[in-house]
Amino acid sequence: MDNLLAARALMGVSLAFHIVYATLGIGLPLMLMLAEGLALKTGDDTWHLLARRWIRPAGVLFAIGAVSGTILSFELGLLWPQFMAFSGPMIGLAFSMEGFAFFTEAIFLALYIYGEERLSRRALFLCTIPLTLASAVSAVFVISANGWMNTPAGFQMIDGAPANVQPMRAFFNQAWLHQAVHGTLAAYVATAFAVAGFYAVALLKGRGGGDGKKALSLSLFVALVAAPLMLVTGDWAAYAVAEHQTAKLAAMEAHFKTSAAAPLIIGGWPDPETGTVSYAIRIPKLLSLLAHHDPDAVVQGLDAFPQGTTPDPRLVHPFFDLMVGSFFVMALALVWYWWARWRKNETEPGRAQLKYLAFAAPFGIIALESGWMVTEFGRQPWVVKGYLRTSQAVTPNDGLLLVFATFLFVYLALTAGIMRLLLQRQQKGTGGEVSHD
């Protein structure tokens, strides 16, 4: 493993772990807010007690997310010094604002956790509002920096270096809005399915009772609202990528040759040597329709770009299909659950439904991780599209393989410990014990 591959692997592993914690850190505050709001509106105290059970996971995930995020900030400087030297003036605003959002989130999470004996129920509910907003805004700021890497803006290149920097233009780059909206909705859906899956397993084991059914209804209601919006924003994102990141779109769709009335390619294995995709399903004209809202539009293929400047479709296309496929796995679970609630007025799902919910639970995180892979692999070989290659940004220092192995071990051990801690505590809760800590 050479230095560049070791650096990419270390950064990738760190981000893959951080995304899980960050996602749940965005979604759980929304669940807390809704549960506390329902407790106030209905007078049903079990909603409040349900929310209090989620405090420990929210606190632990927030702490681990903060630590893993800090590690990432160090890695950016240590592994990618040329990237930080080039892009620091443009993405510094986004990361600075993310810090303010993070501290706001920390303040109101602490008030909510330790305010049970000191604050009124209404005050506790009010604490969850800025907590929810700050966690979402924090994600938006970070995504803005990533959007800038995909669609650089807000500077001029003079003598080979960025100059005349306009931070606001860099912040509001062409990719930030659709990435931020789509990513935040995906975090809500992923968290909702994680919660639903946990309580589905608990109900299958005969634990949880009424609280489990309430948690299931609330989490799947969040998913019911957010999932259709994900579909809409996904179309918006695809349209924007088709306009501003054409090489990425070609790799996502394994579209090798520029053509009109381009088909949508589902599945299969792309072969860059021959420019073909084996074992794929092709739907005529659908790619042109989705990318340009015209079934006969011309869609640029990978052959429209100079050799060595495009992403590898063998990395991008499978992850794109996995992301889209994950959505439909979750959509089936939602349709099944709410159809049964509506047609049969069943408040208690059957065992087959619960088993499918448990199966579908990880697909929210799988979709998020896959989407992130598409974003990152789809920008290669550039770290800043069109300006700085990944190979130019990496540190010249050796010894990264040992650092990569060490961090991989630490992340795996940390995750195993956290999962054991959270599952033990929550299983006690679903068994009838109400934890207020």
Side-chain angles (χ1 to χ4, degrees):
M1 183 180 288
D2 61 22
N3 219 36
L4 176 59
L5 184 56
R8 291 183 66 185
L10 176 54
M11 198 74 196
V13 167
S14 299
L15 277 165
F17 278 88
H18 179 68
I19 284 172
V20 176
Y21 306 126
T23 296
L24 299 175
I26 294 167
L28 270 180
L30 176 67
M31 304 281 285
L32 290 172
M33 183 182 73
L34 293 175
E36 290 290 358
L38 284 168
L40 280 179
K41 182 175 177 59
T42 64
D44 185 346
D45 209 41
T46 55
W47 287 113
H48 171 71
L49 298 176
L50 189 62
R52 299 305 294 183
R53 284 201 188 109
W54 294 338
I55 286 178
R56 182 176 289 269
V60 170
L61 292 169
F62 178 84
I64 299 300
V67 172
S68 58
T70 303
I71 291 173
L72 278 170
S73 65
F74 283 112
E75 287 183 356
L76 280 172
L78 293 173
L79 300 178
W80 312 103
Q82 297 306 316
F83 166 69
M84 293 307 294
F86 182 92
S87 61
M90 281 72 80
I91 62 174
L93 174 64
F95 281 125
S96 299
M97 296 305 294
E98 193 270 342
F100 285 106
F102 172 79
F103 288 124
T104 303
E105 186 181 353
I107 289 167
F108 285 98
L109 180 62
L111 284 172
Y112 182 74
I113 290 176
Y114 297 107
E116 173 72 359
E117 305 296 334
R118 298 170 180 82
L119 299 175
S120 68
R121 290 287 177 83
R122 185 171 298 279
L124 288 173
F125 167 67
L126 292 175
C127 286
T128 63
I129 295 175
L131 173 60
T132 302
L133 293 176
S135 62
V137 169
S138 177
V140 169
F141 287 135
V142 173
I143 290 173
S144 168
N146 182 267
W148 180 84
M149 294 162 67
N150 295 323
T151 55
F155 67 100
Q156 294 177 319
M157 289 296 288
I158 298 178
D159 297 330
N164 300 328
V165 173
Q166 301 178 57
M168 296 304 291
R169 284 196 62 191
F171 182 92
F172 295 108
N173 57 79
Q174 291 166 328
W176 84 275
L177 186 56
H178 67 79
Q179 282 192 214
V181 175
H182 190 63
T184 305
L185 289 169
Y188 289 148
V189 172
T191 304
F193 266 87
V195 172
F198 174 81
Y199 280 98
V201 172
L203 289 169
L204 281 169
K205 292 182 178 179
R207 297 196 300 262
D211 289 358
K213 294 170 193 171
K214 276 187 165 58
L216 212 56
S217 295
L218 179 59
S219 58
L220 292 178
F221 173 76
V222 170
L224 179 70
V225 174
L229 295 175
M230 269 187 68
L231 202 60
V232 174
T233 57
D235 177 68
W236 173 24
Y239 191 73
V241 169
E243 187 174 359
H244 302 297
Q245 302 176 66
T246 46
K248 178 182 286 184
L249 178 75
M252 285 163 56
E253 303 291 354
H255 186 58
F256 285 100
K257 297 178 182 176
T258 302
S259 61
L264 184 72
I265 297 175
I266 301 173
W269 181 250
D271 182 353
E273 294 296 326
T274 61
T276 59
V277 185
S278 304
Y279 315 113
I281 299 171
R282 290 172 173 78
I283 303 177
K285 298 190 177 186
L286 189 54
L287 177 57
S288 290
L289 181 63
L290 292 174
H292 298 292
H293 296 175
D294 178 357
D296 296 315
V298 173
V299 179
Q300 283 188 316
L302 291 168
D303 64 347
F305 304 91
Q307 193 172 11
T309 63
T310 58
D312 188 339
R314 292 171 297 186
L315 293 174
V316 184
H317 180 64
F319 280 114
F320 179 69
D321 281 351
L322 180 58
M323 178 187 70
V324 176
S326 299
F327 174 84
F328 286 104
V329 170
M330 295 184 288
L332 178 59
L334 281 174
V335 170
W336 190 358
Y337 178 84
W338 289 108
W339 179 83
R341 288 285 300 264
W342 177 62
R343 288 297 298 270
K344 302 180 181 179
N345 197 26
E346 291 177 349
T347 57
E348 183 171 353
R351 290 187 66 80
Q353 270 184 294
L354 292 173
K355 287 179 180 177
Y356 187 76
L357 277 171
F359 165 75
F363 280 90
I365 294 294
I366 291 172
L368 258 168
E369 295 278 10
S370 301
W372 167 66
M373 295 284 187
V374 170
T375 299
E376 297 304 306
F377 285 138
R379 192 181 56 247
Q380 299 304 316
W382 308 96
V383 65
V384 179
K385 178 174 162 280
Y387 291 96
L388 185 68
R389 287 177 179 265
T390 307
S391 57
Q392 296 172 313
V394 71
T395 177
N397 298 319
D398 296 325
L400 295 184
L401 183 58
L402 177 61
V403 179
F404 166 65
T406 303
F407 270 87
L408 181 61
F409 174 77
V410 169
Y411 278 127
L412 289 174
L414 193 61
T415 298
I418 292 167
M419 291 300 294
R420 184 176 180 183
L421 172 68
L422 295 180
L423 289 175
Q424 282 180 342
R425 294 295 303 180
Q426 291 303 303
Q427 282 169 357
K428 286 180 182 178
T430 54
E433 176 185 325
V434 177
S435 172
H436 294 275
D437 53 2

